[in-house]
Amino acid sequence: MISEDRTEKLPRGHRTIKHWSPSNIELLWECPRKYEYTIVQERDAPTNASLAFGLFLHGCFKRFFNQRETKKGPKIGYKDRQAFVGQGAQLWRQILEGQCGPRGFGTPPVKMRWLYLGQEAALWNRLFVILSVFWEDNQDYLKDKFLFPMVEKRLTAKLPSFRFGEYEIIGHVDRIQPVAGGKEIWDYKTGQNLPSGEYLKQHQAMAFYEFLFWQNFGHWPLAVKLYYPHYGLAKGLIRVPLPPDHREERIEQLVVWLDEATRSVLEVMEPQALGESRPSRFLYPLSPGRFIKQPGDPKCWLCDFHK
């Protein structure tokens, strides 16, 4: 329990700083300006084709394990590889034609932004490769009830802070995979580039998922892994280095990250909560300059808000 006198006051109902997800905090670190446009102002922007393709594939992986209605009744799985890949191709075509969104049939369509000439053809090629490999690699997990995974699991947890009270962390885990002796977290990655050792060490989101798993299941995952379906399970399932003897340190680091993120948002939106003087944000609404654009970032041209 945190004593009231050690807790900095937060504006009431301020959802952007009372609730954090791994993706939101990574977005703030990536570019505060993009965080403002996406989370604070909730601006609409064309979705770059790579992001839409990744969302589409995540939906395909989820449907692979989900029960669906057929003429013969409820069924899990697909008749064969052709049926699985064919449904994915049909959905992707509807997404491109603006009949639905990348999250699946019946979802709102999005305006697509292509990043380079020939990208559409390249994504079609990747679609057939990734879905074919995924179908082949996951047959055992589909048919064995002891190996059948939980997919798209929403996890929540409370994490106390001496500076800002109690945070609620929300995360959607792509896959919780039973293995001999326990369970692992598998995070789908739909890109083509395998991660470097340095990237794995700095992949902070996985520490959040590890903590969320512990809070929801009462024990730690055996491992946290990145799954690149393009390369198959043999080459594309990569363990994130999270040593068990450093878990307490990682929890302390999570609090530091959340405190830093919260303070950086408050400095722009609610400086009075930090004891700082500034005119009311209702009289002086947010301007794009208040959240600083990440200077000189070569990924700016990939941003959905890039002009």
Side-chain angles (χ1 to χ4, degrees):
M1 185 72 178
I2 299 173
S3 60
E4 187 66 25
D5 59 345
R6 298 186 66 186
T7 304
E8 294 188 33
K9 300 291 187 181
L10 296 182
R12 289 184 178 179
H14 200 305
R15 63 183 181 83
T16 60
I17 52 178
K18 291 299 288 182
H19 302 84
W20 286 101
S21 68
S23 57
N24 283 1
I25 198 168
E26 285 194 326
L27 179 61
L28 181 63
W29 288 332
E30 177 188 345
C31 177
R33 179 73 57 80
K34 187 176 180 180
Y35 174 88
E36 177 189 5
Y37 288 163
T38 305
I39 306 301
V40 179
Q41 298 185 7
E42 297 181 339
R43 289 191 184 187
D44 291 326
T47 301
N48 78 66
S50 294
L51 175 60
F53 185 69
L55 292 173
F56 150 75
L57 285 177
H58 276 70
C60 291
F61 302 153
K62 179 181 179 180
R63 284 188 294 276
F64 181 85
F65 290 106
N66 275 5
Q67 178 175 288
R68 38 193 192 87
E69 293 296 328
T70 69
K71 293 180 180 179
K72 297 182 180 180
K75 184 180 180 182
I76 294 176
Y78 290 79
K79 177 183 177 181
D80 52 30
R81 183 193 342 239
Q82 185 177 357
F84 177 56
V85 177
Q87 187 189 75
Q90 178 189 9
L91 174 57
W92 182 240
R93 185 172 298 281
Q94 290 189 18
I95 293 169
L96 296 180
E97 293 174 353
Q99 298 181 39
C100 65
R103 296 189 182 277
F105 297 107
T107 60
V110 297
K111 184 178 180 181
M112 201 85 75
R113 185 170 73 89
W114 299 98
L115 301 179
Y116 58 86
L117 188 65
Q119 186 181 18
E120 183 175 349
L123 292 181
W124 271 111
N125 289 334
R126 287 177 57 197
L127 181 153
F128 289 113
V129 170
I130 290 174
L131 293 186
S132 296
V133 173
F134 188 89
W135 187 90
E136 187 71 37
D137 272 354
N138 285 278
Q139 288 303 301
D140 289 342
Y141 298 104
L142 186 68
K143 297 174 182 177
D144 190 330
K145 66 178 181 179
F146 296 107
L147 296 177
F148 197 85
M150 288 185 279
V151 294
E152 292 290 332
K153 183 70 174 175
R154 184 181 188 270
L155 304 178
T156 63
K158 304 288 187 181
L159 186 59
S161 159
F162 286 111
R163 293 178 62 193
F164 295 111
E166 189 174 57
Y167 297 112
E168 182 176 4
I169 307 173
I170 304 168
H172 288 82
V173 178
D174 290 337
R175 181 165 169 176
I176 297 176
Q177 181 58 57
V179 295
K183 294 181 177 67
E184 296 178 344
I185 294 174
W186 291 10
D187 189 51
Y188 293 131
K189 298 296 180 183
T190 55
Q192 288 182 287
N193 298 323
L194 292 176
S196 65
E198 192 61 30
Y199 172 84
L200 291 174
K201 291 178 182 178
Q202 297 178 357
H203 200 40
Q204 296 99 334
M206 294 301 101
F208 279 97
Y209 290 131
E210 179 193 44
F211 173 77
L212 284 166
F213 185 99
W214 171 53
Q215 289 290 291
N216 283 262
F217 294 98
H219 58 89
W220 295 93
L222 290 182
V224 179
K225 296 180 178 179
L226 306 183
Y227 180 14
Y228 290 77
H230 184 92
Y231 295 95
L233 286 170
K235 183 180 178 182
L237 189 61
I238 302 171
R239 187 181 186 120
V240 178
L242 296 171
D245 54 340
H246 291 168
R247 282 171 179 156
E248 192 170 325
E249 295 173 27
R250 286 198 294 275
I251 293 174
E252 292 174 357
Q253 185 61 58
L254 293 182
V255 176
V256 171
W257 287 333
L258 290 168
D259 283 350
E260 290 177 350
T262 299
R263 185 173 183 85
S264 67
V265 172
L266 284 174
E267 283 176 344
V268 175
M269 298 187 66
E270 300 283 355
Q272 63 271 24
L274 302 175
E276 299 168 13
S277 171
R278 202 190 105 202
S280 168
R281 68 186 176 94
F282 298 104
L283 298 177
Y284 297 87
L286 286 172
S287 68
R290 300 211 182 275
F291 280 91
I292 305 301
K293 177 181 176 181
Q294 195 71 20
D297 193 326
K299 294 185 293 185
C300 281
W301 70 280
L302 293 171
C303 179
D304 294 340
F305 299 101
H306 178 74
K307 297 185 182 298

